[in-house]
Amino acid sequence: MMDFINRIFPSINSAYQVFISILDILIVAGLIYAILVIVKNNSKTLRILKGAVIVVFIDIIASYMQLRALQSITQNLISWGFLVFIIIFQPEIRVFLEKIGRTTMNQYTLASLNIKEEEIDEITKAVIDMSKTKTGALITFERNVSLKDYIDSGVKLDSKISTELLLTIFKKNTALHDGAIIIQEDQIACASTYFPPPSIDVLQSFGSRHRAAIGISEITDSITVVVSEETGAIRIVEAGKAHFIYQNEFKEKLIQYLTSHDDTYVEEVGDLDE
């Protein structure tokens, strides 16, 4: 069939080859874009990606200089690299594929997160009260990436969101005061759960709560609210960044963070905390 096209319609064959070349370039560009989306705003995965680039660079040099032993090592690393990439970036890949599967890829809504504005009001009242009384708090909202492992390691609650319950949980010297609570859809799923430390260097003024919030934000797409026990300052943490929030704008900013991927609308500060 292709021979027939070559003889009869050479111009069509030429156009077909151009189309295939363009398609090939677009597919490769799409794969590169997908990788950048997966690793963006995550310093840990960026370092891993840099390491992979270095391995490929060393392999090219080893091939050019005919360093057989070194090349055998780099070839093995590259051969297993794809599987390692899938394992390491599994949460990020799942988020990316879920985005692709949506009918719209613009923004979340409170409805899509299964949380109502009335429940945001309850959280807002509690956070502002704890800020005024300098009661330390760590409140994490689950979005696309599952926090099931952390929920299972905490104290299960599955309770309705209320100001009174939040204030009781974080009241000083109570059994559940330490650690974080996780809000899953419209419930407080658990309390007193602990997150991994951050992989990046953070300000020395940041205490354990802020470090935990940054740590979980590096490996998931969660949103975490932190109230400082030392100063009462409120911060929202996303994608490894902590953003200072004034009391009178907390509800508005929390909704913005929960329903958007854009982190440019909150002033980022970093030296006012515990």
Side-chain angles (χ1 to χ4, degrees), residues 121-142:
D121 288 333
E122 294 292 311
I123 296 167
T124 299
K125 292 175 186 176
V127 168
I128 291 176
D129 185 287
M130 290 186 287
S131 175
K132 290 178 178 178
T133 59
K134 296 183 180 180
T135 301
L138 190 60
I139 304 171
T140 297
F141 296 82
E142 180 187 79

Side-chain angles (χ1 to χ4, degrees), residues 221-254:
D221 64 341
S222 61
I223 302 294
T224 299
V225 176
V226 187
V227 181
S228 169
E229 189 172 347
E230 297 296 324
T231 66
I234 303 170
R235 278 186 171 80
I236 293 179
V237 180
E238 180 193 34
K241 298 179 181 179
H243 307 273
F244 177 80
I245 307 294
Y246 291 102
Q247 291 179 7
N248 61 358
E249 64 178 9
F250 173 75
K251 177 183 175 182
E252 175 189 356
K253 296 301 183 183
L254 177 60

Side-chain angles (χ1 to χ4, degrees), residues 55-66:
V55 170
V56 172
F57 181 71
I58 293 174
D59 180 68
I60 293 172
I61 294 176
S63 176
Y64 179 77
M65 299 181 66
Q66 297 185 349

Side-chain angles (χ1 to χ4, degrees), residues 6 8 16 39 48 60 82 111 170 183 203 249 260:
N6 287 335
I8 307 301
Y16 174 78
V39 305
I48 293 172
I60 293 172
F82 181 76
F170 289 112
I183 293 181
L203 294 173
E249 64 178 9
S260 176

Side-chain angles (χ1 to χ4, degrees), residues 84-237:
V84 172
F85 180 88
I86 295 296
I87 294 172
I88 293 176
F89 296 139
Q90 184 269 336
E92 290 87 352
I93 291 172
R94 184 172 62 205
V95 171
F96 180 75
L97 293 177
E98 287 175 351
K99 288 179 185 177
I100 293 176
R102 291 178 185 169
T103 56
T104 175
M105 293 183 63
N106 292 329
Q107 292 184 330
Y108 295 108
T109 63
L110 290 179
S112 70
L113 295 170
N114 292 323
I115 187 169
K116 299 177 182 177
E117 188 169 353
E118 292 80 3
E119 291 159 340
I120 296 294
D121 288 333
E122 294 292 311
I123 296 167
T124 299
K125 292 175 186 176
V127 168
I128 291 176
D129 185 287
M130 290 186 287
S131 175
K132 290 178 178 178
T133 59
K134 296 183 180 180
T135 301
L138 190 60
I139 304 171
T140 297
F141 296 82
E142 180 187 79
R143 294 206 292 179
N144 271 329
V145 178
S146 174
L147 299 176
K148 183 179 183 301
D149 290 343
Y150 301 101
I151 292 172
D152 291 343
S153 66
V155 178
K156 286 287 192 68
L157 294 179
D158 294 328
S159 303
K160 180 180 177 181
I161 298 171
S162 70
T163 301
E164 292 75 16
L165 179 56
L166 289 170
L167 293 176
T168 300
I169 290 173
F170 289 112
K171 186 177 181 180
K172 295 178 181 179
N173 301 321
T174 59
L176 302 180
H177 172 68
D178 289 329
I181 71 166
I182 294 177
I183 293 181
Q184 186 181 52
E185 298 184 349
D186 61 346
Q187 289 188 325
I188 301 175
C190 74
S192 195
T193 190
Y194 293 89
F195 300 139
S199 64
I200 59 176
D201 294 330
V202 299
L203 294 173
Q204 292 183 351
S205 57
F206 279 176
S208 58
R209 289 188 180 88
H210 292 82
R211 294 173 185 274
I214 293 171
I216 193 64
S217 75
E218 287 185 303
I219 57 177
T220 72
D221 64 341
S222 61
I223 302 294
T224 299
V225 176
V226 187
V227 181
S228 169
E229 189 172 347
E230 297 296 324
T231 66
I234 303 170
R235 278 186 171 80
I236 293 179
V237 180

